[in-house]
């Protein structure tokens, strides 16, 4: 089968013929990929940002935002059958460690992460396990929902954590209205009551944010902090969710907060530095977010089925992966790009 593989850091992915994955364990499932979302994490993986943390050997196939159809199942699999349309929770968790028993799939002590630590879904077939799968209703095209598997679930987890704080009269800022941010705006609208301010560099994405529920759109840049302050009567925002995670957005995100405010980090790569005096004097809360749990993906799929959250996607052939990554790097993707194997 054809797969887009990371062969060396800071190089384009290589499209290669590789062997199809095979069932080796009783709980294994092979999924025929219907669509695989392209994520900023793919850019970070190519740049080697994760190299030390993950400690994996190259080459391997990227793609951690997957949906498709069950193609083959291990002997013990009972909850899905060949042919079922499924969305794939991004990690293969073990189900027996304490973290798994607490429902914290991302903290699993035996975590396997296709697309980060083993072969992912920028290919025709993906190997995962039964625990990772959520069946899609009949008639749902996997390529249309694949971005929920990472962009969606991550936005959901971040918004769910701050939703109790998003009371009437509060303000929530979404920094970066791309693949995750455009979902977060809708989730804040559905799960909270805050006035939503969207911040982005791109006019088109700001327009989309206003359509999806943001009350105000602010151009990213040096004036972003003063704009948020003036929109909040000088007090600052109660909640800032940062989907960019650069040095600049980290600094500005904290500067946008009011006293008692919460700064929630989803995008990454920068360095966050906050004086401890500011932390105690303002009683700030800083929250990190890593993808989300199986149950959170399930809940998000219910919101999708109810028509309460919509994805903005554009489809590309798997062959176009490098061009898509380049467009993503230059901020030229509106919503989420999804690769579809031929
Ligand atoms: Zn991702
Ligand atoms: Zn586990």
């Amino acid at each position: 089968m054809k797969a887009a593989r990371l062969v060396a850091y800071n190089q384009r992915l290589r499209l290669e013929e590789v062997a199809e994955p095979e069932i080796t364990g009783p709980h294994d499932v092979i999924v025929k990929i219907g669509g695989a979302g392209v994520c900023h994490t793919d850019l970070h993986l190519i740049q080697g940002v994760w190299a030390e943390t993950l400690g994996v050997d190259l080459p391997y196939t990227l793609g951690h935002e997957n949906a498709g159809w069950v193609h083959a199942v291990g002997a013990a699999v009972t909850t899905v059958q060949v042919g079922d349309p499924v969305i794939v929770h991004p990690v293969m968790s073990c189900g027996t460690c304490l973290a798994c028993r607490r429902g914290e799939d991302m903290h699993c002590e035996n975590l396997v992460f296709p697309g980060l630590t083993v072969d992912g879904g920028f290919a025709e077939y993906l190997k995962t396990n039964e625990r990772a799968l959520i069946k899609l209703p009949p008639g749902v095209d996997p390529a249309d929902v694949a971005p929920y598997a990472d962009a969606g679930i991550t936005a959901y987890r971040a918004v769910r954590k701050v939703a109790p704080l998003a009371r009437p009269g509060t303000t929530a800022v979404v920094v970066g209205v791309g693949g995750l941010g455009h979902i977060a705006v809708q989730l804040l609208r559905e799960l909270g009551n805050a006035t939503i301010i969207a911040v982005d560099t791109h006019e088109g994405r700001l327009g989309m944010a206003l359509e999806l529920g943001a009350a105000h759109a602010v151009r990213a840049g040096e004036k972003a902090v003063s704009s948020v302050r003036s929109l909040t009567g000088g007090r600052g925002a109660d909640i800032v969710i940062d989907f960019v995670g650069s040095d600049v957005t980290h600094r500005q995100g904290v500067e946008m907060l009011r006293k008692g405010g919460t700064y929630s980090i989803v995008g990454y790569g920068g360095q966050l530095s906050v004086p401890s005096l500011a932390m105690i004097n303002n009683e700030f809360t800083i929250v990190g977010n890593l993808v989300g749990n199986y149950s959170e993906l399930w809940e998000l799929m219910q919101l999708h089925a109810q028509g309460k959250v919509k994805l903005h996607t554009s489809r590309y052939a798997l062959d176009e992966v490098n061009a898509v990554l380049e467009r993503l790097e230059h901020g030229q993707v509106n919503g989420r790009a999804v690769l579809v194997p031929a």
Side-chain angles (χ1 to χ4, degrees), residues 94-95 97 100 108-109:
C94 75
C97 75
C100 278
C108 173
E109 290 167 19

Side-chain angles (χ1 to χ4, degrees), residues 19-39:
E20 287 178 17
E22 287 176 4
I23 300 284
T24 53
H27 298 285
D28 287 349
V29 176
I30 308 294
V31 173
K32 180 176 164 53
I33 293 292
V38 183
C39 178

Side-chain angles (χ1 to χ4, degrees), residues 5-338:
R5 296 174 56 88
L6 179 60
V7 174
Y9 294 116
N10 296 305
Q11 281 187 22
R12 293 160 71 87
L13 299 185
R14 195 185 292 168
L15 282 149
E16 297 186 318
E17 279 296 323
V18 297
E20 287 178 17
E22 287 176 4
I23 300 284
T24 53
H27 298 285
D28 287 349
V29 176
I30 308 294
V31 173
K32 180 176 164 53
I33 293 292
V38 183
C39 178
H40 264 100
T41 287
D42 297 313
L43 292 172
H44 292 317
L45 288 163
I46 293 167
Q47 291 155 359
V49 170
W50 282 93
E52 210 171 298
T53 306
L54 297 177
V56 291
D57 294 327
L58 305 185
Y60 68 99
T61 305
L62 298 192
H64 57 274
E65 190 170 279
N66 305 306
W69 299 270
V70 173
H71 178 69
V73 298
V77 171
T78 59
T79 58
V80 293
Q81 293 181 345
V82 171
D84 284 345
V86 288
I87 187 163
V88 184
H89 185 276
V91 301
M92 298 163 72
S93 56
C94 75
T96 52
C97 75
L98 185 60
C100 278
R101 287 166 189 271
R102 285 176 171 155
E104 292 294 349
D105 300 288
M106 297 308 301
H107 301 173
C108 173
E109 290 167 19
N110 305 298
L111 187 96
V112 177
F113 203 151
L116 273 82
T117 65
V118 297
D119 288 339
F122 290 173
E124 290 169 58
Y125 297 95
L126 167 81
K127 181 172 172 174
T128 183
N129 65 4
E130 182 179 17
R131 276 178 60 80
L133 299 178
I134 295 174
K135 263 201 260 189
L136 297 171
V140 173
D141 187 335
D144 288 337
V145 297
Y148 285 125
D150 179 47
I153 189 179
T154 307
Y156 184 79
R157 182 170 175 85
V159 170
R160 192 186 58 77
K161 283 185 194 172
V162 298
L165 308 171
R167 297 195 293 248
T170 62
T171 304
V173 178
V174 174
V175 179
V177 198
L180 284 76
H182 88 283
I183 304 170
V185 168
Q186 299 174 69
L187 291 169
L188 278 166
R189 183 195 69 206
E190 294 299 323
L191 304 180
N193 284 285
T195 299
I196 304 164
I197 302 175
V199 179
D200 202 290
T201 53
H202 189 269
E203 201 64 49
R205 285 196 292 268
L206 288 173
M208 182 168 66
L210 292 172
E211 283 170 25
L212 296 176
H216 307 283
V218 167
R219 264 298 177 118
E222 275 317 303
K223 288 185 186 150
V225 174
S226 57
S227 299
V228 167
R229 292 225 158 254
S230 71
L231 287 168
T232 54
R235 291 184 199 90
D238 300 83
I239 299 158
V240 175
I241 310 180
D242 185 349
F243 289 96
V244 178
S246 66
D247 288 349
V248 172
T249 62
H250 286 325
R251 176 174 55 76
Q252 291 189 335
V254 175
E255 286 173 2
M256 285 173 186
L257 290 179
R258 71 178 291 166
K259 260 189 188 277
T262 297
Y263 177 52
S264 179
I265 302 169
V266 181
Y268 61 91
Q271 186 81 33
L272 174 65
S273 172
V274 187
S276 46
L277 173 60
M279 283 297 301
I280 66 111
N281 188 41
N282 295 295
E283 291 205 311
F284 290 148
T285 301
I286 295 175
V287 183
N289 300 281
L290 178 65
V291 194
N293 299 329
Y294 180 93
S295 57
E296 289 165 332
L297 182 57
W298 187 88
E299 289 166 15
L300 178 59
M301 297 312 292
Q302 308 312 303
L303 288 175
H304 171 79
Q306 293 162 15
K308 291 179 175 172
V309 184
K310 293 190 168 66
L311 278 179
H312 190 99
T313 60
S314 41
R315 293 188 187 198
Y316 299 87
L318 177 58
D319 289 355
E320 297 175 275
V321 59
N322 287 303
V324 172
L325 286 164
E326 206 169 304
R327 292 182 67 160
L328 184 64
E329 186 159 26
H330 294 109
Q332 293 163 348
V333 173
N334 222 358
R336 199 66 153 179
V338 177

